[in-house]
Amino acid sequence: MKIKIASIPHVIFMHLSKLCRNAAAACLALLTLAANGQPQPAADTAPQKDARLAAWRDARFGLFIHWGLYSIIGRGEWVQWNEQIPVDEYARLADQFRPANFDAKAWVAVAKSAGMKYMVLTTRHHDGFALFDDPGNDFTSVATAAHRDFVADYVKAARDGGMLVGLYYSPLDWRYPGFFFPDLQLKNAETMRDQYHRQMRELLSNYGKIDILFFDGGEQNWLGFGGQWGPSAQWQKRPAGQSYKGRFNWQSDQVYAMLRQLQPGVVINGRADMPEDFHSREGDGALGNFDSDHPWELCTTLAGAWGWQTNGTVKPLRDCILLLVKAAGRDGNFILNVGPRPDGLIDPPQARRLKEIGDWLDKFGESIYGTRGGPFLPGAYGVSTYRDKRIYLHVLNWAGDGKLTLPALPAKILRASLLGGGAVTFSQSEQRVEVSVPVASQNAPDTIVVLELDQPASGLKTIPVDPSGAK
């Protein structure tokens, strides 16, 4: 018989004293080991992994939220490291962290207005400040001035709003010298690891069902920022392909066994030395190539830094739509980040831009949600997506005559139409497919032509289209 730790009600656990909660967590860990013999999770079959990923993949578009003490300074989430702010001095920011305008329901409303289907919140970034309670650590929003579990509020609001719920977590912690010197400061590094394992159990046990875990900075090879100190105090970046070979180990296999036991349906990215469900591509320039074999997600920012930046510039609507469309057409998800202000409010210019994306999705969302990339690969014309018996051609660049010529399609096109309305003509032969849309009916930045087929598009192989001209 397996004990289902995740079934313990959050409300009961949260009302225990810190001492009792700490003892309870230890007892639960012992019960798990005794009842289950500390099993390692069985390797996924392809159908199991596909089933776990289905809802996340269908959602296609999500909201990332970076928020914490760094928001008070307003120069991004890496401000403590970039400006070398002493740990004790930075920690005093917790005395000021009383976000008067925090409203998790308002965050969810902004995400829904943007047409987003899932959310991911930074529960703890590299600075070590946790937005949830931790019996073994007082550097949290619960133990300091705010006296509030923001993760609990966020999870409830997101779940009530019908969103998939995601949590970001950073195993590394700048407060620990052991991250920078994992061998010289081995005991300190192990204490940091203990915090990681303990806090993961808190997050996986106390907030109901979690759909997404986004790890950051938990790889062995990122210890010391991917480098090490050699003789004569020379810091050297580890050469590509060379692994960390020191004595410290994150013991991520134990975390993976725990998360698969407590949250068997959660999907995770690949930044913590665990079997990944999806790969993270970070930044506008990381869009990369088409990949339908390995699930992936493009994550980038709406206004500069990931955390609140007082002088941040909001991306133009066109750029946001193109990133979303190009990710979907490469068979990936897209998660767009906002950094709320220190008072908890998502800055109105950012909220307005998100609403504009949502207005576009209200008209054209059927070509994004629940689709897969292809069968026509990205090319100079743009990208394509498909669902059931429909192919959506996302034409981002037209020839001067308003005609698009594509390679032959091994399925019969029954009809063509313009998503949103407008005139379309097409012809199909054994050599090519030609589609024409008058200039007056073309939509910037994305004209979406719908091809209705006589068979499901999922049965078609991918078709290369001028890959050297992909845009």
Side-chain angles (χ1 to χ4, degrees):
M1 176 182 177
K2 291 186 176 181
I3 296 174
K4 296 182 179 179
I5 305 299
S7 65
I8 295 177
H10 172 234
V11 65
I12 294 175
F13 203 83
M14 292 300 294
H15 277 81
L16 296 175
S17 69
K18 272 200 162 186
L19 182 61
C20 290
R21 287 187 64 203
N22 203 18
C27 289
L28 289 173
L30 290 173
L31 284 170
T32 300
L33 294 176
N36 303 304
Q38 200 174 12
Q40 294 300 309
D44 279 335
T45 63
Q48 286 174 326
K49 186 172 181 179
D50 288 346
R52 190 163 65 235
L53 281 159
W56 175 82
R57 257 188 158 161
D58 286 348
R60 275 305 188 217
F61 187 32
L63 180 66
F64 214 157
I65 301 174
H66 276 64
W67 189 58
L69 298 187
Y70 44 81
S71 306
I72 296 173
I73 301 175
R75 292 191 291 277
E77 75 292 346
W78 272 66
V79 63
Q80 182 185 12
W81 174 260
N82 292 340
E83 301 181 14
Q84 293 293 286
I85 301 172
V87 168
D88 291 347
E89 179 182 332
Y90 185 86
R92 288 196 289 272
L93 291 172
D95 297 332
Q96 305 174 39
F97 195 60
R98 300 183 183 89
N101 292 318
F102 169 78
D103 182 353
K105 292 180 181 178
W107 285 2
V108 174
V110 168
K112 290 173 75 71
S113 77
M116 292 158 162
K117 304 297 185 183
Y118 63 98
M119 302 172 68
V120 176
L121 170 67
T122 51
T123 64
R124 186 176 74 70
H125 206 265
H126 308 327
D127 61 354
F129 185 73
L131 297 180
F132 58 96
D133 197 14
D134 172 13
N137 171 36
D138 286 335
F139 196 45
T140 73
S141 61
V142 177
T144 53
H147 298 297
R148 189 165 180 177
D149 187 330
F150 293 108
V151 172
D153 293 339
Y154 152 75
V155 169
K156 184 178 188 308
R159 185 68 64 204
D160 290 348
M163 309 292 281
L164 296 180
V165 177
L167 305 179
Y168 164 109
Y169 182 84
S170 167
L172 78 87
D173 189 329
W174 289 330
R175 298 176 302 156
Y176 288 84
F179 169 70
F180 306 99
F181 307 99
D183 296 295
L184 185 67
Q185 299 283 349
L186 180 61
K187 281 190 175 296
N188 184 267
E190 291 172 342
T191 301
M192 177 179 61
R193 180 185 64 205
D194 291 344
Q195 173 183 262
Y196 166 33
H197 288 221
R198 182 185 69 246
Q199 290 186 340
M200 283 309 304
R201 182 171 291 280
E202 290 284 314
L203 291 171
L204 294 167
S205 301
N206 300 333
Y207 299 94
K209 184 176 183 293
I210 304 301
D211 300 295
I212 305 156
L213 277 176
F214 192 108
F215 288 103
D216 192 20
E219 306 100 323
Q220 290 285 112
N221 287 342
W222 215 54
L223 288 164
F225 289 138
Q228 57 198 19
W229 291 93
S232 303
Q234 294 295 313
W235 186 87
Q236 297 175 331
K237 190 169 183 65
R238 278 186 290 276
Q242 184 181 109
S243 299
Y244 165 77
K245 294 183 173 63
R247 297 171 62 187
F248 175 73
N249 191 296
W250 284 112
Q251 297 178 350
S252 294
D253 57 334
Q254 295 181 19
V255 176
Y256 186 70
M258 175 173 62
L259 73 85
R260 281 286 163 244
Q261 179 185 61
L262 299 178
Q263 298 281 349
V266 71
V267 299
I268 65 173
N269 69 335
R271 295 185 177 183
D273 290 336
M274 301 178 200
E276 67 178 28
D277 291 308
F278 68 94
H279 185 72
S280 297
R281 300 182 183 182
E282 183 172 329
D284 294 8
L287 193 59
N289 296 323
F290 180 94
D291 186 354
S292 61
D293 295 325
H294 308 94
W296 61 273
E297 174 187 69
L298 178 69
C299 57
T300 193
T301 63
L302 181 60
W306 296 87
W308 169 245
Q309 192 174 23
T310 54
N311 61 348
T313 300
V314 180
K315 273 190 175 75
L317 176 62
R318 180 181 185 277
D319 293 0
C320 296
I321 291 172
L322 288 178
L323 285 169
L324 171 60
V325 169
K326 289 179 178 182
R330 285 165 171 77
D331 205 32
N333 278 25
F334 180 48
I335 188 166
L336 188 58
N337 180 82
V338 297
R341 301 185 322 201
D343 65 357
L345 187 71
I346 294 176
D347 202 39
Q350 297 185 41
R352 285 194 294 271
R353 179 68 77 244
L354 293 175
K355 176 63 168 62
E356 291 170 351
I357 300 172
D359 291 342
W360 185 88
L361 281 165
D362 284 343
K363 297 177 182 178
F364 306 114
E366 77 166 72
S367 69
I368 302 292
Y369 302 126
T371 64
R372 298 294 301 272
F376 294 106
L377 291 179
Y381 76 100
V383 299
S384 71
T385 58
Y386 72 85
R387 181 175 56 192
D388 300 327
K389 295 183 179 181
R390 288 188 162 196
I391 294 174
Y392 301 91
L393 302 176
H394 294 264
V395 187
L396 310 178
N397 301 285
W398 285 100
D401 57 1
K403 181 184 292 185
L404 171 64
T405 301
L406 295 169
L409 181 69
K412 184 179 180 180
I413 301 173
L414 301 177
R415 63 188 62 86
S417 60
L418 203 61
L419 195 59
V424 181
T425 59
F426 79 97
S427 64
Q428 182 179 21
S429 69
E430 293 182 357
Q431 289 75 40
R432 66 184 62 86
V433 172
E434 291 187 347
V435 175
S436 296
V437 176
V439 173
S441 296
Q442 295 173 13
N443 297 312
D446 182 12
T447 303
I448 305 170
V449 177
V450 185
L451 304 180
E452 298 190 40
L453 310 182
D454 65 344
Q455 60 182 276
S458 58
L460 304 175
K461 294 182 178 179
T462 54
I463 305 169
V465 182
D466 185 20
S468 63
K471 295 183 180 181

